[in-house]
PDB file of all heavy atoms in Angstrom:
ATOM      1  N   GLY X 862      29.411  -7.974  -6.875  1.00  0.00           N
ATOM      2  CA  GLY X 862      30.382  -8.277  -5.827  1.00  0.00           C
ATOM      3  C   GLY X 862      30.513  -7.221  -4.750  1.00  0.00           C
ATOM      4  O   GLY X 862      31.209  -7.426  -3.774  1.00  0.00           O
ATOM      5  N   ALA X 863      29.867  -6.088  -4.931  1.00  0.00           N
ATOM      6  CA  ALA X 863      29.954  -5.026  -3.931  1.00  0.00           C
ATOM      7  C   ALA X 863      28.642  -4.956  -3.149  1.00  0.00           C
ATOM      8  O   ALA X 863      27.563  -5.032  -3.723  1.00  0.00           O
ATOM      9  CB  ALA X 863      30.224  -3.692  -4.608  1.00  0.00           C
ATOM     10  N   GLU X 864      28.771  -4.830  -1.865  1.00  0.00           N
ATOM     11  CA  GLU X 864      27.600  -4.741  -1.003  1.00  0.00           C
ATOM     12  C   GLU X 864      27.278  -3.268  -0.758  1.00  0.00           C
ATOM     13  O   GLU X 864      28.169  -2.462  -0.500  1.00  0.00           O
ATOM     14  CB  GLU X 864      27.899  -5.442   0.325  1.00  0.00           C
ATOM     15  CG  GLU X 864      26.685  -5.640   1.194  1.00  0.00           C
ATOM     16  CD  GLU X 864      27.000  -6.486   2.404  1.00  0.00           C
ATOM     17  OE1 GLU X 864      27.188  -7.711   2.247  1.00  0.00           O
ATOM     18  OE2 GLU X 864      27.077  -5.901   3.496  1.00  0.00           O
ATOM     19  N   TYR X 865      26.001  -2.905  -0.893  1.00  0.00           N
ATOM     20  CA  TYR X 865      25.617  -1.530  -0.608  1.00  0.00           C
ATOM     21  C   TYR X 865      24.258  -1.501   0.088  1.00  0.00           C
ATOM     22  O   TYR X 865      23.474  -2.423  -0.014  1.00  0.00           O
ATOM     23  CB  TYR X 865      25.611  -0.670  -1.876  1.00  0.00           C
ATOM     24  CG  TYR X 865      24.590  -1.067  -2.904  1.00  0.00           C
ATOM     25  CD1 TYR X 865      23.378  -0.394  -3.000  1.00  0.00           C
ATOM     26  CD2 TYR X 865      24.829  -2.105  -3.801  1.00  0.00           C
ATOM     27  CE1 TYR X 865      22.436  -0.757  -3.939  1.00  0.00           C
ATOM     28  CE2 TYR X 865      23.896  -2.467  -4.741  1.00  0.00           C
ATOM     29  CZ  TYR X 865      22.702  -1.785  -4.812  1.00  0.00           C
ATOM     30  OH  TYR X 865      21.772  -2.148  -5.736  1.00  0.00           O
ATOM     31  N   PHE X 866      24.012  -0.419   0.811  1.00  0.00           N
ATOM     32  CA  PHE X 866      22.808  -0.278   1.615  1.00  0.00           C
ATOM     33  C   PHE X 866      21.767   0.536   0.857  1.00  0.00           C
ATOM     34  O   PHE X 866      22.065   1.624   0.364  1.00  0.00           O
ATOM     35  CB  PHE X 866      23.150   0.411   2.942  1.00  0.00           C
ATOM     36  CG  PHE X 866      21.995   0.497   3.876  1.00  0.00           C
ATOM     37  CD1 PHE X 866      21.528  -0.636   4.532  1.00  0.00           C
ATOM     38  CD2 PHE X 866      21.365   1.701   4.114  1.00  0.00           C
ATOM     39  CE1 PHE X 866      20.456  -0.563   5.398  1.00  0.00           C
ATOM     40  CE2 PHE X 866      20.297   1.783   4.976  1.00  0.00           C
ATOM     41  CZ  PHE X 866      19.844   0.648   5.619  1.00  0.00           C
ATOM     42  N   VAL X 867      20.562  -0.002   0.757  1.00  0.00           N
ATOM     43  CA  VAL X 867      19.441   0.695   0.126  1.00  0.00           C
ATOM     44  C   VAL X 867      18.527   1.162   1.252  1.00  0.00           C
ATOM     45  O   VAL X 867      17.905   0.351   1.931  1.00  0.00           O
ATOM     46  CB  VAL X 867      18.669  -0.242  -0.835  1.00  0.00           C
ATOM     47  CG1 VAL X 867      17.492   0.478  -1.434  1.00  0.00           C
ATOM     48  CG2 VAL X 867      19.590  -0.769  -1.916  1.00  0.00           C
ATOM     49  N   ASP X 868      18.476   2.482   1.475  1.00  0.00           N
ATOM     50  CA  ASP X 868      17.676   2.977   2.592  1.00  0.00           C
ATOM     51  C   ASP X 868      16.275   3.414   2.182  1.00  0.00           C
ATOM     52  O   ASP X 868      15.382   3.462   3.022  1.00  0.00           O
ATOM     53  CB  ASP X 868      18.392   4.098   3.335  1.00  0.00           C
ATOM     54  CG  ASP X 868      18.753   5.262   2.447  1.00  0.00           C
ATOM     55  OD1 ASP X 868      18.652   5.133   1.214  1.00  0.00           O
ATOM     56  OD2 ASP X 868      19.155   6.310   2.983  1.00  0.00           O
ATOM     57  N   LEU X 869      16.053   3.711   0.924  1.00  0.00           N
ATOM     58  CA  LEU X 869      14.716   4.071   0.441  1.00  0.00           C
ATOM     59  C   LEU X 869      14.214   2.956  -0.475  1.00  0.00           C
ATOM     60  O   LEU X 869      14.787   2.713  -1.538  1.00  0.00           O
ATOM     61  CB  LEU X 869      14.731   5.407  -0.292  1.00  0.00           C
ATOM     62  CG  LEU X 869      15.088   6.620   0.577  1.00  0.00           C
ATOM     63  CD1 LEU X 869      15.159   7.873  -0.270  1.00  0.00           C
ATOM     64  CD2 LEU X 869      14.083   6.796   1.692  1.00  0.00           C
ATOM     65  N   ILE X 870      13.148   2.303  -0.051  1.00  0.00           N
ATOM     66  CA  ILE X 870      12.603   1.146  -0.766  1.00  0.00           C
ATOM     67  C   ILE X 870      11.542   1.613  -1.753  1.00  0.00           C
ATOM     68  O   ILE X 870      10.668   2.402  -1.405  1.00  0.00           O
ATOM     69  CB  ILE X 870      11.957   0.157   0.244  1.00  0.00           C
ATOM     70  CG1 ILE X 870      12.911  -0.131   1.405  1.00  0.00           C
ATOM     71  CG2 ILE X 870      11.495  -1.107  -0.446  1.00  0.00           C
ATOM     72  CD1 ILE X 870      14.181  -0.804   1.024  1.00  0.00           C
ATOM     73  N   PRO X 871      11.570   1.130  -3.015  1.00  0.00           N
ATOM     74  CA  PRO X 871      10.528   1.500  -3.972  1.00  0.00           C
ATOM     75  C   PRO X 871       9.174   0.905  -3.571  1.00  0.00           C
ATOM     76  O   PRO X 871       9.079  -0.274  -3.245  1.00  0.00           O
ATOM     77  CB  PRO X 871      11.002   0.905  -5.301  1.00  0.00           C
ATOM     78  CG  PRO X 871      12.315   0.287  -5.058  1.00  0.00           C
ATOM     79  CD  PRO X 871      12.593   0.279  -3.603  1.00  0.00           C
ATOM     80  N   LYS X 872       8.153   1.737  -3.602  1.00  0.00           N
ATOM     81  CA  LYS X 872       6.779   1.338  -3.283  1.00  0.00           C
ATOM     82  C   LYS X 872       5.842   2.020  -4.272  1.00  0.00           C
ATOM     83  O   LYS X 872       6.259   2.850  -5.075  1.00  0.00           O
ATOM     84  CB  LYS X 872       6.391   1.776  -1.860  1.00  0.00           C
ATOM     85  CG  LYS X 872       7.262   1.229  -0.753  1.00  0.00           C
ATOM     86  CD  LYS X 872       6.926  -0.184  -0.434  1.00  0.00           C
ATOM     87  CE  LYS X 872       7.746  -0.645   0.772  1.00  0.00           C
ATOM     88  NZ  LYS X 872       7.357  -1.920   1.250  1.00  0.00           N
ATOM     89  N   LEU X 873       4.566   1.674  -4.192  1.00  0.00           N
ATOM     90  CA  LEU X 873       3.535   2.363  -4.956  1.00  0.00           C
ATOM     91  C   LEU X 873       2.543   2.974  -3.988  1.00  0.00           C
ATOM     92  O   LEU X 873       2.218   2.377  -2.962  1.00  0.00           O
ATOM     93  CB  LEU X 873       2.789   1.397  -5.879  1.00  0.00           C
ATOM     94  CG  LEU X 873       3.583   0.814  -7.037  1.00  0.00           C
ATOM     95  CD1 LEU X 873       2.702  -0.125  -7.851  1.00  0.00           C
ATOM     96  CD2 LEU X 873       4.124   1.909  -7.935  1.00  0.00           C
ATOM     97  N   LYS X 874       2.066   4.150  -4.328  1.00  0.00           N
ATOM     98  CA  LYS X 874       1.040   4.813  -3.530  1.00  0.00           C
ATOM     99  C   LYS X 874      -0.238   4.858  -4.349  1.00  0.00           C
ATOM    100  O   LYS X 874      -0.264   5.415  -5.447  1.00  0.00           O
ATOM    101  CB  LYS X 874       1.479   6.230  -3.171  1.00  0.00           C
ATOM    102  CG  LYS X 874       0.452   7.015  -2.393  1.00  0.00           C
ATOM    103  CD  LYS X 874       1.008   8.398  -2.101  1.00  0.00           C
ATOM    104  CE  LYS X 874       0.004   9.295  -1.474  1.00  0.00           C
ATOM    105  NZ  LYS X 874       0.569  10.640  -1.255  1.00  0.00           N
ATOM    106  N   LEU X 875      -1.291   4.226  -3.820  1.00  0.00           N
ATOM    107  CA  LEU X 875      -2.602   4.234  -4.465  1.00  0.00           C
ATOM    108  C   LEU X 875      -3.482   5.240  -3.750  1.00  0.00           C
ATOM    109  O   LEU X 875      -3.494   5.286  -2.522  1.00  0.00           O
ATOM    110  CB  LEU X 875      -3.281   2.868  -4.356  1.00  0.00           C
ATOM    111  CG  LEU X 875      -2.513   1.645  -4.806  1.00  0.00           C
ATOM    112  CD1 LEU X 875      -3.346   0.403  -4.529  1.00  0.00           C
ATOM    113  CD2 LEU X 875      -2.216   1.739  -6.269  1.00  0.00           C
ATOM    114  N   GLU X 876      -4.242   5.998  -4.512  1.00  0.00           N
ATOM    115  CA  GLU X 876      -5.195   6.932  -3.930  1.00  0.00           C
ATOM    116  C   GLU X 876      -6.567   6.645  -4.535  1.00  0.00           C
ATOM    117  O   GLU X 876      -6.713   6.601  -5.754  1.00  0.00           O
ATOM    118  CB  GLU X 876      -4.789   8.371  -4.214  1.00  0.00           C
ATOM    119  CG  GLU X 876      -3.459   8.742  -3.575  1.00  0.00           C
ATOM    120  CD  GLU X 876      -2.993  10.120  -3.975  1.00  0.00           C
ATOM    121  OE1 GLU X 876      -3.395  11.088  -3.304  1.00  0.00           O
ATOM    122  OE2 GLU X 876      -2.251  10.212  -4.972  1.00  0.00           O
ATOM    123  N   VAL X 877      -7.551   6.440  -3.659  1.00  0.00           N
ATOM    124  CA  VAL X 877      -8.912   6.134  -4.082  1.00  0.00           C
ATOM    125  C   VAL X 877      -9.856   6.928  -3.190  1.00  0.00           C
ATOM    126  O   VAL X 877      -9.687   6.951  -1.973  1.00  0.00           O
ATOM    127  CB  VAL X 877      -9.229   4.625  -3.918  1.00  0.00           C
ATOM    128  CG1 VAL X 877     -10.623   4.309  -4.407  1.00  0.00           C
ATOM    129  CG2 VAL X 877      -8.205   3.777  -4.622  1.00  0.00           C
ATOM    130  N   VAL X 878     -10.857   7.572  -3.797  1.00  0.00           N
ATOM    131  CA  VAL X 878     -11.895   8.243  -3.022  1.00  0.00           C
ATOM    132  C   VAL X 878     -13.141   7.375  -3.089  1.00  0.00           C
ATOM    133  O   VAL X 878     -13.577   6.988  -4.173  1.00  0.00           O
ATOM    134  CB  VAL X 878     -12.175   9.664  -3.556  1.00  0.00           C
ATOM    135  CG1 VAL X 878     -13.300  10.315  -2.766  1.00  0.00           C
ATOM    136  CG2 VAL X 878     -10.903  10.509  -3.472  1.00  0.00           C
ATOM    137  N   VAL X 879     -13.680   7.029  -1.913  1.00  0.00           N
ATOM    138  CA  VAL X 879     -14.814   6.104  -1.846  1.00  0.00           C
ATOM    139  C   VAL X 879     -15.949   6.719  -1.030  1.00  0.00           C
ATOM    140  O   VAL X 879     -15.698   7.525  -0.124  1.00  0.00           O
ATOM    141  CB  VAL X 879     -14.405   4.749  -1.219  1.00  0.00           C
ATOM    142  CG1 VAL X 879     -13.354   4.063  -2.053  1.00  0.00           C
ATOM    143  CG2 VAL X 879     -13.906   4.919   0.194  1.00  0.00           C
ATOM    144  N   PRO X 880     -17.191   6.340  -1.343  1.00  0.00           N
ATOM    145  CA  PRO X 880     -18.316   6.760  -0.502  1.00  0.00           C
ATOM    146  C   PRO X 880     -18.168   6.168   0.900  1.00  0.00           C
ATOM    147  O   PRO X 880     -17.592   5.089   1.071  1.00  0.00           O
ATOM    148  CB  PRO X 880     -19.542   6.174  -1.212  1.00  0.00           C
ATOM    149  CG  PRO X 880     -19.093   5.857  -2.594  1.00  0.00           C
ATOM    150  CD  PRO X 880     -17.624   5.573  -2.513  1.00  0.00           C
ATOM    151  N   GLU X 881     -18.701   6.851   1.875  1.00  0.00           N
ATOM    152  CA  GLU X 881     -18.574   6.431   3.277  1.00  0.00           C
ATOM    153  C   GLU X 881     -19.033   4.991   3.497  1.00  0.00           C
ATOM    154  O   GLU X 881     -18.407   4.229   4.217  1.00  0.00           O
ATOM    155  CB  GLU X 881     -19.404   7.375   4.158  1.00  0.00           C
ATOM    156  CG  GLU X 881     -19.091   7.294   5.618  1.00  0.00           C
ATOM    157  CD  GLU X 881     -17.806   8.009   5.986  1.00  0.00           C
ATOM    158  OE1 GLU X 881     -17.508   9.069   5.424  1.00  0.00           O
ATOM    159  OE2 GLU X 881     -17.099   7.478   6.853  1.00  0.00           O
ATOM    160  N   GLY X 882     -20.109   4.579   2.848  1.00  0.00           N
ATOM    161  CA  GLY X 882     -20.669   3.251   3.044  1.00  0.00           C
ATOM    162  C   GLY X 882     -19.834   2.119   2.463  1.00  0.00           C
ATOM    163  O   GLY X 882     -20.065   0.952   2.774  1.00  0.00           O
ATOM    164  N   ARG X 883     -18.877   2.445   1.613  1.00  0.00           N
ATOM    165  CA  ARG X 883     -18.053   1.407   0.982  1.00  0.00           C
ATOM    166  C   ARG X 883     -16.628   1.386   1.532  1.00  0.00           C
ATOM    167  O   ARG X 883     -15.786   0.633   1.049  1.00  0.00           O
ATOM    168  CB  ARG X 883     -18.039   1.624  -0.523  1.00  0.00           C
ATOM    169  CG  ARG X 883     -19.495   1.674  -1.048  1.00  0.00           C
ATOM    170  CD  ARG X 883     -19.607   1.669  -2.486  1.00  0.00           C
ATOM    171  NE  ARG X 883     -19.316   0.329  -2.957  1.00  0.00           N
ATOM    172  CZ  ARG X 883     -19.116   0.055  -4.231  1.00  0.00           C
ATOM    173  NH1 ARG X 883     -19.189   1.003  -5.123  1.00  0.00           N
ATOM    174  NH2 ARG X 883     -18.850  -1.169  -4.610  1.00  0.00           N
ATOM    175  N   LEU X 884     -16.382   2.203   2.543  1.00  0.00           N
ATOM    176  CA  LEU X 884     -15.028   2.323   3.087  1.00  0.00           C
ATOM    177  C   LEU X 884     -14.510   1.011   3.664  1.00  0.00           C
ATOM    178  O   LEU X 884     -13.408   0.581   3.339  1.00  0.00           O
ATOM    179  CB  LEU X 884     -14.974   3.423   4.156  1.00  0.00           C
ATOM    180  CG  LEU X 884     -13.623   3.612   4.836  1.00  0.00           C
ATOM    181  CD1 LEU X 884     -12.560   4.028   3.823  1.00  0.00           C
ATOM    182  CD2 LEU X 884     -13.735   4.630   5.952  1.00  0.00           C
ATOM    183  N   ASP X 885     -15.305   0.355   4.492  1.00  0.00           N
ATOM    184  CA  ASP X 885     -14.841  -0.885   5.122  1.00  0.00           C
ATOM    185  C   ASP X 885     -14.522  -1.965   4.098  1.00  0.00           C
ATOM    186  O   ASP X 885     -13.515  -2.660   4.203  1.00  0.00           O
ATOM    187  CB  ASP X 885     -15.881  -1.406   6.118  1.00  0.00           C
ATOM    188  CG  ASP X 885     -15.978  -0.521   7.354  1.00  0.00           C
ATOM    189  OD1 ASP X 885     -15.008   0.209   7.645  1.00  0.00           O
ATOM    190  OD2 ASP X 885     -17.035  -0.551   8.019  1.00  0.00           O
ATOM    191  N   ALA X 886     -15.364  -2.101   3.074  1.00  0.00           N
ATOM    192  CA  ALA X 886     -15.112  -3.096   2.025  1.00  0.00           C
ATOM    193  C   ALA X 886     -13.846  -2.755   1.249  1.00  0.00           C
ATOM    194  O   ALA X 886     -13.061  -3.645   0.900  1.00  0.00           O
ATOM    195  CB  ALA X 886     -16.306  -3.182   1.084  1.00  0.00           C
ATOM    196  N   CYS X 887     -13.618  -1.470   1.001  1.00  0.00           N
ATOM    197  CA  CYS X 887     -12.414  -1.025   0.288  1.00  0.00           C
ATOM    198  C   CYS X 887     -11.165  -1.346   1.100  1.00  0.00           C
ATOM    199  O   CYS X 887     -10.193  -1.881   0.567  1.00  0.00           O
ATOM    200  CB  CYS X 887     -12.507   0.477   0.018  1.00  0.00           C
ATOM    201  SG  CYS X 887     -11.039   1.190  -0.734  1.00  0.00           S
ATOM    202  N   LEU X 888     -11.191  -1.040   2.395  1.00  0.00           N
ATOM    203  CA  LEU X 888     -10.034  -1.308   3.248  1.00  0.00           C
ATOM    204  C   LEU X 888      -9.739  -2.794   3.340  1.00  0.00           C
ATOM    205  O   LEU X 888      -8.582  -3.215   3.286  1.00  0.00           O
ATOM    206  CB  LEU X 888     -10.268  -0.731   4.643  1.00  0.00           C
ATOM    207  CG  LEU X 888     -10.348   0.789   4.731  1.00  0.00           C
ATOM    208  CD1 LEU X 888     -10.682   1.223   6.146  1.00  0.00           C
ATOM    209  CD2 LEU X 888      -9.070   1.436   4.242  1.00  0.00           C
ATOM    210  N   GLU X 889     -10.782  -3.596   3.454  1.00  0.00           N
ATOM    211  CA  GLU X 889     -10.592  -5.041   3.519  1.00  0.00           C
ATOM    212  C   GLU X 889     -10.005  -5.581   2.218  1.00  0.00           C
ATOM    213  O   GLU X 889      -9.106  -6.420   2.234  1.00  0.00           O
ATOM    214  CB  GLU X 889     -11.921  -5.730   3.824  1.00  0.00           C
ATOM    215  CG  GLU X 889     -11.780  -7.222   4.024  1.00  0.00           C
ATOM    216  CD  GLU X 889     -13.093  -7.884   4.411  1.00  0.00           C
ATOM    217  OE1 GLU X 889     -13.947  -7.218   5.003  1.00  0.00           O
ATOM    218  OE2 GLU X 889     -13.245  -9.075   4.093  1.00  0.00           O
ATOM    219  N   ALA X 890     -10.504  -5.088   1.080  1.00  0.00           N
ATOM    220  CA  ALA X 890     -10.007  -5.544  -0.218  1.00  0.00           C
ATOM    221  C   ALA X 890      -8.528  -5.203  -0.392  1.00  0.00           C
ATOM    222  O   ALA X 890      -7.737  -6.042  -0.830  1.00  0.00           O
ATOM    223  CB  ALA X 890     -10.834  -4.932  -1.348  1.00  0.00           C
ATOM    224  N   ILE X 891      -8.149  -3.981  -0.037  1.00  0.00           N
ATOM    225  CA  ILE X 891      -6.748  -3.570  -0.165  1.00  0.00           C
ATOM    226  C   ILE X 891      -5.864  -4.407   0.759  1.00  0.00           C
ATOM    227  O   ILE X 891      -4.818  -4.916   0.349  1.00  0.00           O
ATOM    228  CB  ILE X 891      -6.582  -2.070   0.150  1.00  0.00           C
ATOM    229  CG1 ILE X 891      -7.241  -1.227  -0.941  1.00  0.00           C
ATOM    230  CG2 ILE X 891      -5.104  -1.704   0.293  1.00  0.00           C
ATOM    231  CD1 ILE X 891      -7.314   0.244  -0.626  1.00  0.00           C
ATOM    232  N   THR X 892      -6.299  -4.561   1.994  1.00  0.00           N
ATOM    233  CA  THR X 892      -5.506  -5.308   2.975  1.00  0.00           C
ATOM    234  C   THR X 892      -5.291  -6.752   2.551  1.00  0.00           C
ATOM    235  O   THR X 892      -4.170  -7.265   2.595  1.00  0.00           O
ATOM    236  CB  THR X 892      -6.194  -5.270   4.354  1.00  0.00           C
ATOM    237  OG1 THR X 892      -6.368  -3.901   4.731  1.00  0.00           O
ATOM    238  CG2 THR X 892      -5.367  -5.973   5.401  1.00  0.00           C
ATOM    239  N   GLU X 893      -6.348  -7.407   2.123  1.00  0.00           N
ATOM    240  CA  GLU X 893      -6.239  -8.812   1.726  1.00  0.00           C
ATOM    241  C   GLU X 893      -5.388  -8.979   0.470  1.00  0.00           C
ATOM    242  O   GLU X 893      -4.601  -9.906   0.363  1.00  0.00           O
ATOM    243  CB  GLU X 893      -7.624  -9.421   1.513  1.00  0.00           C
ATOM    244  CG  GLU X 893      -8.408  -9.598   2.796  1.00  0.00           C
ATOM    245  CD  GLU X 893      -7.722 -10.511   3.792  1.00  0.00           C
ATOM    246  OE1 GLU X 893      -7.218 -11.579   3.395  1.00  0.00           O
ATOM    247  OE2 GLU X 893      -7.663 -10.133   4.976  1.00  0.00           O
ATOM    248  N   ALA X 894      -5.556  -8.070  -0.496  1.00  0.00           N
ATOM    249  CA  ALA X 894      -4.828  -8.200  -1.763  1.00  0.00           C
ATOM    250  C   ALA X 894      -3.355  -7.836  -1.633  1.00  0.00           C
ATOM    251  O   ALA X 894      -2.516  -8.381  -2.346  1.00  0.00           O
ATOM    252  CB  ALA X 894      -5.493  -7.336  -2.833  1.00  0.00           C
ATOM    253  N   ALA X 895      -3.016  -6.914  -0.728  1.00  0.00           N
ATOM    254  CA  ALA X 895      -1.635  -6.437  -0.627  1.00  0.00           C
ATOM    255  C   ALA X 895      -0.808  -7.210   0.392  1.00  0.00           C
ATOM    256  O   ALA X 895       0.411  -7.088   0.411  1.00  0.00           O
ATOM    257  CB  ALA X 895      -1.623  -4.951  -0.258  1.00  0.00           C
ATOM    258  N   ARG X 896      -1.449  -8.006   1.218  1.00  0.00           N
ATOM    259  CA  ARG X 896      -0.732  -8.686   2.301  1.00  0.00           C
ATOM    260  C   ARG X 896       0.114  -9.851   1.789  1.00  0.00           C
ATOM    261  O   ARG X 896      -0.352 -10.703   1.059  1.00  0.00           O
ATOM    262  CB  ARG X 896      -1.724  -9.215   3.334  1.00  0.00           C
ATOM    263  CG  ARG X 896      -1.036  -9.933   4.494  1.00  0.00           C
ATOM    264  CD  ARG X 896      -2.016 -10.457   5.511  1.00  0.00           C
ATOM    265  NE  ARG X 896      -2.615  -9.341   6.214  1.00  0.00           N
ATOM    266  CZ  ARG X 896      -3.911  -9.264   6.517  1.00  0.00           C
ATOM    267  NH1 ARG X 896      -4.732 -10.210   6.166  1.00  0.00           N
ATOM    268  NH2 ARG X 896      -4.368  -8.214   7.163  1.00  0.00           N
TER     269      ARG X 896
END
């Protein structure tokens, strides 16, 4: 019954190291899956 403001939203931070040649595929996969 009480209204309150949440200013920090819970998220997840993923970290992945990829070879240069696979960067575009990695970015596309993350973007499509997370959207």
Side-chain angles (χ1 to χ4, degrees):
E864 191 173 287
Y865 65 99
F866 185 73
V867 178
D868 57 348
L869 295 176
I870 311 297
K872 301 282 185 172
L873 292 180
K874 178 180 173 182
L875 308 177
E876 297 174 87
V877 182
V878 178
V879 298
E881 195 77 37
R883 305 189 74 192
L884 178 62
D885 290 338
C887 175
L888 294 176
E889 185 176 333
I891 291 171
T892 303
E893 290 300 316
R896 180 180 290 138

